[in-house]
Amino acid sequence: SPIPAAACSDSRFALGFLVVTYYSGVKSDGTGDSTAGINQAIKDAWTNHLAVFFPSGTYIVSDTLKAYEWGLWGQITSGIWSSDQKHVLVGSTLGSSRPVIKLASSASLFDSLSSPRPMISFRKFDALNSNGTSEVEPSDPYGGLPPNFEEGRGIIFFEELRGVDFDCSGHAGCMGILMNAAQGSSIKDVKINATGAYAGIRAGVADQDGSGGNIEIVGGQYGLLLTSLPITNASAQ
């Protein structure tokens, strides 16, 4: 879908920022459900080499935000720089607090400890065979894979999440951030309220040449899980 005209007219667009509040349904006042609009902004920013920008406020979501990449069959991806398209999400530094993405109290998909689910998922999927020619999302944003794809390990470069806080409190199976990335990727200036939740962050901040800074995690069964991402979708093999 085309980028909203109002977003293109915003002076920040010329500087490379796609302001998320111009998308339908995205509210920064702590009401409604901003999931679909934010996900569309993430896709549009990826396609057009822009950064997603969150003005100050509280954004309610009911499902995972998806910062996905694909290496389709016929593209040169394995072991080589995949693309100059990267996911960059940044929050406003104006005001007394950072923008907050808060999980809706009714988001039951995040309530099972046996099936952890991230609020935001940075992942890459590489085609296993000639059937992997289109971008297909897995049903499980944590460890699941689309048919005909495998996890793209070690080649997700320069992903960035900065200046945005997350609140997944009260959801036993929720983790704030999954960033299965590699060189040059970073998580900075982020606070996660994981009280009564599974974890704050899984992977991504201790990789080679990656970085993390000014990260605060409150509560959670785990704070940082710096281990390899599990692969659970046998149908992808």
Side-chain angles (χ1 to χ4, degrees), residues 118-195:
M119 285 187 69
I120 186 166
S121 179
F122 292 80
R123 294 179 66 194
K124 186 174 189 292
F125 311 109
D126 281 339
L128 277 171
N129 53 53
S130 58
N131 292 319
T133 57
S134 60
E135 299 178 358
V136 180
E137 295 183 357
S139 58
D140 174 11
Y142 180 36
L145 289 165
N148 307 304
F149 285 85
E150 64 180 346
E151 193 77 28
R153 296 184 179 276
I155 53 174
I156 313 177
F157 301 143
F158 301 111
E159 304 287 279
E160 181 177 354
L161 176 60
R162 174 167 48 87
V164 181
D165 293 344
F166 291 80
D167 186 347
C168 58
S169 58
H171 293 273
C174 187
M175 69 188 73
I177 301 166
L178 169 63
M179 184 181 275
N180 195 36
Q183 290 95 316
S185 297
S186 63
I187 301 173
K188 297 178 179 178
D189 302 330
V190 169
K191 178 178 180 179
I192 301 170
N193 181 359
T195 303

Coordinates of all heavy atoms in Angstrom, one line a residue, residues 118-195:
P118 N 7.0 -12.9 21.4 CA 7.6 -11.5 21.5 C 6.7 -10.4 21.1 O 5.9 -10.6 20.2 CB 8.8 -11.6 20.6 CG 8.4 -12.5 19.5 CD 7.5 -13.5 20.1
M119 N 6.8 -9.3 21.8 CA 6.1 -8.1 21.4 C 6.6 -7.6 20.0 O 5.9 -7.0 19.2 CB 6.2 -7.0 22.4 CG 5.4 -7.2 23.7 SD 5.5 -5.8 24.8 CE 4.5 -4.5 23.8
I120 N 7.9 -7.7 19.8 CA 8.5 -7.3 18.5 C 9.6 -8.3 18.1 O 10.3 -8.8 19.0 CB 9.1 -5.9 18.5 CG1 9.6 -5.5 17.1 CG2 10.3 -5.7 19.5 CD1 9.9 -4.0 16.9
S121 N 9.6 -8.7 16.9 CA 10.4 -9.8 16.4 C 11.2 -9.4 15.2 O 10.7 -9.1 14.2 CB 9.5 -11.0 16.1 OG 10.3 -12.1 15.6
F122 N 12.5 -9.4 15.4 CA 13.5 -9.1 14.3 C 14.0 -10.5 13.8 O 14.8 -11.1 14.5 CB 14.6 -8.2 14.8 CG 14.3 -6.8 15.1 CD1 13.7 -6.5 16.3 CD2 14.5 -5.8 14.2 CE1 13.4 -5.2 16.7 CE2 14.2 -4.5 14.6 CZ 13.6 -4.2 15.8
R123 N 13.7 -10.9 12.6 CA 14.1 -12.2 12.1 C 14.3 -12.2 10.6 O 13.8 -11.3 9.9 CB 13.1 -13.3 12.4 CG 13.0 -13.6 13.9 CD 11.9 -14.7 14.2 NE 12.4 -16.0 13.7 CZ 11.6 -17.0 13.5 NH1 10.3 -16.9 13.8 NH2 12.0 -18.1 13.0
K124 N 15.1 -13.1 10.1 CA 15.3 -13.3 8.7 C 15.1 -14.7 8.3 O 15.5 -15.7 9.0 CB 16.7 -12.9 8.2 CG 16.9 -12.9 6.7 CD 18.3 -12.3 6.4 CE 18.4 -12.1 4.9 NZ 18.4 -13.4 4.1
F125 N 14.4 -14.9 7.1 CA 14.1 -16.3 6.6 C 14.7 -16.5 5.3 O 14.5 -15.6 4.3 CB 12.6 -16.5 6.5 CG 11.8 -16.0 7.8 CD1 11.1 -14.9 7.8 CD2 12.0 -16.8 9.0 CE1 10.4 -14.5 8.9 CE2 11.3 -16.4 10.1 CZ 10.5 -15.2 10.1
D126 N 15.5 -17.5 5.1 CA 16.2 -17.8 3.8 C 15.6 -19.0 3.2 O 15.3 -20.1 3.8 CB 17.7 -18.0 4.1 CG 18.4 -16.7 4.2 OD1 17.9 -15.7 3.8 OD2 19.6 -16.7 4.8
A127 N 15.4 -19.0 1.9 CA 14.7 -20.1 1.1 C 15.6 -21.3 1.2 O 16.8 -21.3 1.0 CB 14.5 -19.7 -0.3
L128 N 14.9 -22.5 1.4 CA 15.6 -23.8 1.4 C 15.6 -24.4 0.0 O 16.4 -25.2 -0.3 CB 14.9 -24.7 2.4 CG 15.3 -24.6 3.9 CD1 14.3 -25.5 4.7 CD2 16.7 -25.1 4.1
N129 N 14.6 -24.0 -0.8 CA 14.5 -24.7 -2.1 C 13.7 -23.7 -3.0 O 13.4 -22.6 -2.7 CB 13.7 -26.0 -1.9 CG 12.4 -25.8 -1.2 OD1 11.6 -25.0 -1.5 ND2 12.2 -26.6 -0.1
S130 N 13.5 -24.2 -4.2 CA 12.9 -23.4 -5.3 C 11.4 -23.0 -5.0 O 10.9 -22.2 -5.8 CB 13.0 -24.1 -6.7 OG 12.3 -25.3 -6.6
N131 N 10.8 -23.5 -4.0 CA 9.5 -23.1 -3.6 C 9.5 -21.9 -2.7 O 8.4 -21.3 -2.4 CB 8.8 -24.3 -2.9 CG 8.5 -25.4 -3.8 OD1 8.1 -25.2 -5.0 ND2 8.7 -26.6 -3.3
G132 N 10.6 -21.5 -2.3 CA 10.7 -20.3 -1.4 C 10.9 -19.0 -2.2 O 11.9 -18.4 -2.1
T133 N 9.8 -18.7 -2.9 CA 9.9 -17.5 -3.8 C 9.1 -16.3 -3.4 O 9.1 -15.3 -4.1 CB 9.5 -17.9 -5.2 OG1 8.2 -18.5 -5.2 CG2 10.5 -19.0 -5.8
S134 N 8.3 -16.4 -2.3 CA 7.5 -15.3 -1.9 C 7.6 -15.1 -0.4 O 8.0 -16.1 0.4 CB 6.0 -15.5 -2.3 OG 5.5 -16.7 -1.7
E135 N 7.3 -13.9 0.1 CA 7.4 -13.6 1.5 C 6.2 -14.2 2.3 O 5.1 -13.7 2.2 CB 7.5 -12.1 1.7 CG 8.7 -11.5 1.0 CD 8.8 -10.0 1.2 OE1 7.9 -9.4 1.8 OE2 9.8 -9.4 0.7
V136 N 6.5 -15.2 3.1 CA 5.5 -15.9 3.9 C 5.8 -15.8 5.3 O 6.9 -16.1 5.7 CB 5.3 -17.4 3.5 CG1 4.2 -18.0 4.3 CG2 5.0 -17.5 2.0
E137 N 4.9 -15.3 6.2 CA 5.2 -15.1 7.6 C 4.9 -16.4 8.3 O 3.9 -17.1 8.0 CB 4.3 -14.0 8.2 CG 4.6 -12.6 7.6 CD 3.8 -11.5 8.2 OE1 3.0 -11.9 9.1 OE2 4.0 -10.4 7.9
P138 N 5.7 -16.8 9.3 CA 5.4 -17.9 10.2 C 4.2 -17.6 11.1 O 4.0 -16.5 11.5 CB 6.7 -18.2 10.9 CG 7.3 -16.8 11.0 CD 6.9 -16.1 9.8
S139 N 3.5 -18.6 11.5 CA 2.4 -18.4 12.5 C 3.0 -18.1 13.9 O 2.3 -17.4 14.7 CB 1.5 -19.7 12.5 OG 2.3 -20.8 12.9
D140 N 4.2 -18.6 14.1 CA 4.8 -18.4 15.4 C 6.0 -17.4 15.2 O 7.0 -17.8 14.6 CB 5.3 -19.7 16.0 CG 6.2 -19.5 17.3 OD1 6.2 -18.4 17.8 OD2 6.8 -20.5 17.7
P141 N 5.9 -16.2 15.7 CA 7.0 -15.2 15.5 C 8.2 -15.4 16.3 O 9.2 -14.7 16.2 CB 6.3 -13.9 15.9 CG 5.3 -14.3 16.9 CD 4.8 -15.6 16.5
Y142 N 8.2 -16.4 17.2 CA 9.3 -16.7 18.1 C 10.3 -17.7 17.5 O 11.4 -17.3 17.1 CB 8.8 -17.2 19.4 CG 9.9 -17.6 20.4 CD1 11.0 -16.8 20.6 CD2 9.7 -18.7 21.3 CE1 12.0 -17.1 21.5 CE2 10.7 -19.0 22.2 CZ 11.8 -18.2 22.3 OH 12.8 -18.5 23.3
G143 N 9.9 -18.9 17.2 CA 10.8 -19.9 16.7 C 10.2 -20.6 15.4 O 10.9 -21.4 14.8
G144 N 9.0 -20.3 15.0 CA 8.4 -20.9 13.9 C 9.0 -20.4 12.6 O 9.6 -19.4 12.5
L145 N 8.9 -21.3 11.5 CA 9.4 -20.9 10.2 C 8.3 -21.2 9.2 O 7.5 -22.1 9.3 CB 10.6 -21.8 9.9 CG 11.9 -21.5 10.7 CD1 12.8 -22.7 10.5 CD2 12.5 -20.2 10.2
P146 N 8.3 -20.4 8.1 CA 7.4 -20.6 7.0 C 7.9 -21.9 6.2 O 9.1 -22.2 6.2 CB 7.6 -19.4 6.1 CG 8.3 -18.4 6.9 CD 9.1 -19.2 7.9
P147 N 7.0 -22.6 5.6 CA 7.4 -23.8 4.8 C 8.4 -23.3 3.7 O 8.3 -22.2 3.2 CB 6.1 -24.2 4.1 CG 5.0 -23.8 5.0 CD 5.5 -22.5 5.6
N148 N 9.4 -24.1 3.5 CA 10.4 -23.9 2.5 C 11.5 -22.8 2.8 O 12.2 -22.4 2.0 CB 9.8 -23.5 1.1 CG 8.7 -24.5 0.7 OD1 9.0 -25.7 0.5 ND2 7.5 -24.0 0.5
F149 N 11.5 -22.5 4.1 CA 12.5 -21.5 4.6 C 13.2 -22.0 5.8 O 12.6 -22.8 6.6 CB 11.8 -20.1 4.9 CG 11.4 -19.3 3.7 CD1 10.2 -19.6 3.1 CD2 12.3 -18.4 3.2 CE1 9.8 -18.8 1.9 CE2 11.9 -17.6 2.1 CZ 10.7 -17.9 1.4
E150 N 14.4 -21.5 6.0 CA 15.1 -21.8 7.3 C 15.5 -20.4 7.9 O 15.4 -19.4 7.3 CB 16.4 -22.6 6.9 CG 17.4 -21.8 6.1 CD 18.7 -22.6 5.8 OE1 18.9 -23.6 6.5 OE2 19.4 -22.2 4.9
E151 N 16.0 -20.5 9.2 CA 16.4 -19.3 9.8 C 17.6 -18.7 9.2 O 18.6 -19.5 9.0 CB 16.7 -19.6 11.3 CG 16.8 -18.4 12.2 CD 15.5 -17.7 12.5 OE1 14.4 -18.5 12.6 OE2 15.4 -16.5 12.7
G152 N 17.6 -17.4 8.9 CA 18.8 -16.8 8.3 C 19.7 -16.4 9.4 O 19.5 -15.4 10.1
R153 N 20.7 -17.2 9.7 CA 21.6 -17.0 10.8 C 22.8 -16.2 10.5 O 23.5 -16.4 9.5 CB 22.1 -18.3 11.4 CG 20.9 -19.2 11.9 CD 21.5 -20.4 12.6 NE 20.4 -21.2 13.2 CZ 19.8 -21.0 14.3 NH1 20.3 -20.0 15.1 NH2 18.9 -21.8 14.8
G154 N 23.2 -15.2 11.3 CA 24.4 -14.5 11.2 C 24.5 -13.5 10.0 O 25.6 -13.0 9.7
I155 N 23.4 -13.2 9.3 CA 23.5 -12.3 8.2 C 22.4 -11.2 8.3 O 22.0 -10.6 7.3 CB 23.5 -13.0 6.8 CG1 22.2 -13.9 6.7 CG2 24.7 -13.8 6.6 CD1 22.1 -14.5 5.3
I156 N 21.9 -11.0 9.5 CA 21.0 -9.9 9.7 C 21.7 -8.7 10.2 O 22.0 -8.6 11.4 CB 19.8 -10.3 10.6 CG1 19.2 -11.6 10.2 CG2 18.7 -9.2 10.5 CD1 18.1 -12.1 11.2
F157 N 22.1 -7.8 9.4 CA 23.1 -6.7 9.8 C 22.3 -5.4 10.0 O 21.4 -5.1 9.3 CB 24.2 -6.5 8.8 CG 25.0 -7.7 8.5 CD1 25.4 -8.0 7.2 CD2 25.3 -8.6 9.5 CE1 26.2 -9.2 7.0 CE2 26.1 -9.7 9.3 CZ 26.5 -10.0 8.0
F158 N 22.9 -4.6 11.0 CA 22.5 -3.2 11.2 C 21.0 -2.9 11.5 O 20.5 -1.9 11.1 CB 23.0 -2.4 10.0 CG 24.4 -2.5 9.7 CD1 25.0 -3.1 8.6 CD2 25.3 -1.9 10.6 CE1 26.3 -3.2 8.4 CE2 26.7 -2.0 10.4 CZ 27.2 -2.7 9.3
E159 N 20.4 -3.9 12.1 CA 19.1 -3.6 12.7 C 19.2 -2.7 13.9 O 20.2 -2.8 14.6 CB 18.4 -4.9 13.1 CG 18.3 -6.0 12.0 CD 17.3 -5.7 10.9 OE1 16.1 -5.9 11.1 OE2 17.7 -5.1 9.9
E160 N 18.3 -1.8 14.1 CA 18.4 -0.9 15.2 C 17.0 -0.6 15.8 O 16.0 -0.4 15.2 CB 18.9 0.5 14.7 CG 19.1 1.5 15.8 CD 19.7 2.8 15.3 OE1 20.2 2.9 14.1 OE2 19.8 3.7 16.1
L161 N 17.0 -0.7 17.2 CA 15.9 -0.3 18.0 C 16.4 0.6 19.0 O 17.2 0.3 19.9 CB 15.2 -1.6 18.6 CG 14.1 -1.3 19.6 CD1 12.9 -0.7 18.8 CD2 13.6 -2.7 20.2
R162 N 15.8 1.9 19.0 CA 16.4 2.9 19.9 C 15.3 3.8 20.4 O 14.5 4.3 19.6 CB 17.5 3.7 19.2 CG 18.0 4.9 19.9 CD 19.3 5.4 19.3 NE 19.2 5.6 17.9 CZ 18.7 6.8 17.3 NH1 18.3 7.8 18.1 NH2 18.7 6.9 16.0
G163 N 15.3 4.1 21.7 CA 14.4 5.1 22.3 C 13.0 4.8 22.4 O 12.1 5.7 22.4
V164 N 12.7 3.5 22.5 CA 11.3 3.0 22.6 C 11.2 2.1 23.8 O 12.0 1.1 23.8 CB 10.7 2.4 21.3 CG1 9.3 1.9 21.5 CG2 10.9 3.3 20.1
D165 N 10.2 2.3 24.7 CA 10.0 1.4 25.8 C 8.9 0.4 25.5 O 8.0 0.6 24.6 CB 9.7 2.2 27.1 CG 10.8 3.0 27.6 OD1 12.0 2.8 27.1 OD2 10.6 3.9 28.4
F166 N 8.9 -0.8 26.2 CA 7.9 -1.8 26.0 C 7.3 -2.2 27.4 O 8.0 -2.3 28.4 CB 8.6 -3.0 25.4 CG 9.0 -2.8 23.9 CD1 10.1 -2.1 23.6 CD2 8.1 -3.2 22.9 CE1 10.5 -1.9 22.3 CE2 8.5 -3.0 21.6 CZ 9.7 -2.3 21.3
D167 N 6.1 -2.5 27.4 CA 5.4 -2.9 28.6 C 4.6 -4.2 28.3 O 3.6 -4.2 27.6 CB 4.4 -1.8 29.1 CG 3.8 -2.2 30.4 OD1 3.9 -3.3 30.9 OD2 3.2 -1.2 31.0
C168 N 5.1 -5.3 28.8 CA 4.4 -6.6 28.6 C 4.0 -7.2 29.9 O 3.8 -8.4 30.0 CB 5.2 -7.6 27.8 SG 6.9 -8.0 28.5
S169 N 3.8 -6.4 30.9 CA 3.5 -6.9 32.2 C 2.2 -7.6 32.3 O 1.2 -7.2 31.6 CB 3.5 -5.7 33.2 OG 2.6 -4.7 32.8
G170 N 2.2 -8.6 33.1 CA 0.9 -9.4 33.3 C 0.7 -10.5 32.3 O -0.4 -11.1 32.4
H171 N 1.6 -10.7 31.4 CA 1.4 -11.7 30.3 C 2.5 -12.8 30.5 O 3.6 -12.5 30.1 CB 1.4 -11.1 28.9 CG 0.2 -10.2 28.7 ND1 -1.0 -10.7 28.2 CD2 0.1 -8.9 28.8 CE1 -1.8 -9.7 28.0 NE2 -1.2 -8.6 28.4
A172 N 2.2 -13.9 31.0 CA 3.1 -14.9 31.5 C 4.1 -15.4 30.4 O 5.2 -15.8 30.6 CB 2.4 -16.1 32.1
G173 N 3.6 -15.4 29.1 CA 4.4 -16.0 28.0 C 5.1 -14.9 27.1 O 5.6 -15.3 26.1
C174 N 5.0 -13.7 27.6 CA 5.5 -12.6 26.7 C 7.0 -12.3 27.0 O 7.4 -12.3 28.1 CB 4.7 -11.4 26.9 SG 5.1 -10.0 25.7
M175 N 7.7 -12.0 25.9 CA 9.0 -11.4 26.0 C 8.9 -10.0 25.3 O 8.2 -9.9 24.3 CB 10.1 -12.2 25.4 CG 10.1 -12.4 23.9 SD 11.3 -13.6 23.3 CE 10.5 -15.1 23.9
G176 N 9.7 -9.0 25.7 CA 9.6 -7.7 25.1 C 10.1 -7.7 23.7 O 9.4 -7.3 22.7
I177 N 11.4 -8.2 23.5 CA 12.1 -8.0 22.2 C 12.8 -9.3 21.8 O 13.5 -9.9 22.7 CB 13.1 -6.9 22.3 CG1 12.5 -5.6 22.7 CG2 13.9 -6.8 21.0 CD1 13.5 -4.5 23.1
L178 N 12.6 -9.8 20.6 CA 13.4 -10.8 20.0 C 14.1 -10.2 18.9 O 13.5 -9.7 17.9 CB 12.5 -12.0 19.5 CG 13.2 -13.0 18.6 CD1 14.3 -13.7 19.4 CD2 12.2 -14.0 18.1
M179 N 15.5 -10.1 19.0 CA 16.3 -9.6 17.9 C 17.3 -10.7 17.5 O 18.4 -10.7 18.1 CB 16.9 -8.3 18.2 CG 17.7 -7.7 17.0 SD 18.5 -6.1 17.4 CE 17.2 -4.9 17.1
N180 N 17.0 -11.5 16.5 CA 17.9 -12.5 16.1 C 18.9 -12.0 15.0 O 18.9 -12.5 13.9 CB 17.1 -13.7 15.6 CG 18.0 -15.0 15.5 OD1 18.8 -15.2 16.3 ND2 17.7 -15.8 14.5
A181 N 19.7 -11.0 15.4 CA 20.5 -10.3 14.4 C 22.0 -10.5 14.7 O 22.4 -11.3 15.5 CB 20.1 -8.8 14.5
A182 N 22.8 -9.8 13.9 CA 24.2 -10.0 13.9 C 24.9 -8.7 13.9 O 24.5 -7.7 14.5 CB 24.7 -11.0 12.8
Q183 N 26.0 -8.6 13.1 CA 26.9 -7.5 13.1 C 26.2 -6.1 12.9 O 25.3 -6.0 12.0 CB 28.0 -7.6 12.0 CG 29.0 -8.7 12.3 CD 28.7 -10.0 11.6 OE1 27.5 -10.4 11.7 NE2 29.7 -10.7 11.1
G184 N 26.6 -5.2 13.7 CA 26.1 -3.8 13.6 C 24.8 -3.6 14.1 O 24.3 -2.4 14.1
S185 N 24.1 -4.6 14.6 CA 22.7 -4.4 15.1 C 22.8 -3.9 16.6 O 23.8 -4.1 17.3 CB 21.9 -5.7 15.1 OG 21.8 -6.1 13.8
S186 N 21.7 -3.2 17.0 CA 21.8 -2.5 18.3 C 20.4 -2.3 18.9 O 19.4 -2.2 18.3 CB 22.5 -1.2 18.2 OG 21.8 -0.3 17.4
I187 N 20.4 -2.4 20.3 CA 19.3 -2.1 21.1 C 19.8 -1.1 22.1 O 20.7 -1.4 22.9 CB 18.7 -3.3 21.8 CG1 18.2 -4.3 20.8 CG2 17.5 -2.9 22.7 CD1 17.8 -5.6 21.4
K188 N 19.2 0.2 22.1 CA 19.7 1.2 22.9 C 18.6 2.1 23.5 O 17.6 2.3 22.8 CB 20.7 2.1 22.2 CG 22.0 1.4 21.7 CD 22.9 2.3 21.0 CE 24.2 1.5 20.5 NZ 25.1 2.4 19.7
D189 N 18.8 2.6 24.7 CA 17.8 3.5 25.3 C 16.4 2.8 25.3 O 15.4 3.4 24.8 CB 17.8 4.8 24.6 CG 19.1 5.5 24.6 OD1 19.9 5.3 25.5 OD2 19.4 6.2 23.6
V190 N 16.3 1.7 25.9 CA 15.1 0.9 26.0 C 14.8 0.4 27.4 O 15.7 -0.1 28.1 CB 15.1 -0.3 25.0 CG1 14.0 -1.3 25.3 CG2 15.1 0.1 23.6
K191 N 13.6 0.6 27.9 CA 13.2 0.0 29.1 C 12.0 -1.0 28.9 O 11.1 -0.6 28.1 CB 12.7 1.1 30.1 CG 12.2 0.5 31.5 CD 11.9 1.6 32.4 CE 11.4 1.1 33.7 NZ 11.0 2.2 34.7
I192 N 12.1 -2.2 29.5 CA 11.0 -3.1 29.3 C 10.4 -3.5 30.7 O 11.2 -3.9 31.6 CB 11.6 -4.4 28.7 CG1 12.2 -4.1 27.3 CG2 10.5 -5.5 28.5 CD1 13.0 -5.3 26.7
N193 N 9.1 -3.3 30.8 CA 8.4 -3.7 32.0 C 7.9 -5.1 31.8 O 7.0 -5.4 31.0 CB 7.2 -2.8 32.3 CG 6.5 -3.2 33.6 OD1 6.8 -4.2 34.2 ND2 5.5 -2.4 33.9
A194 N 8.6 -6.1 32.4 CA 8.3 -7.5 32.2 C 7.8 -8.1 33.5 O 7.9 -9.4 33.7 CB 9.5 -8.3 31.7
T195 N 7.2 -7.3 34.3 CA 6.6 -7.8 35.6 C 5.5 -8.9 35.3 O 4.6 -8.6 34.6 CB 6.0 -6.7 36.4 OG1 7.0 -5.7 36.6 CG2 5.5 -7.2 37.7

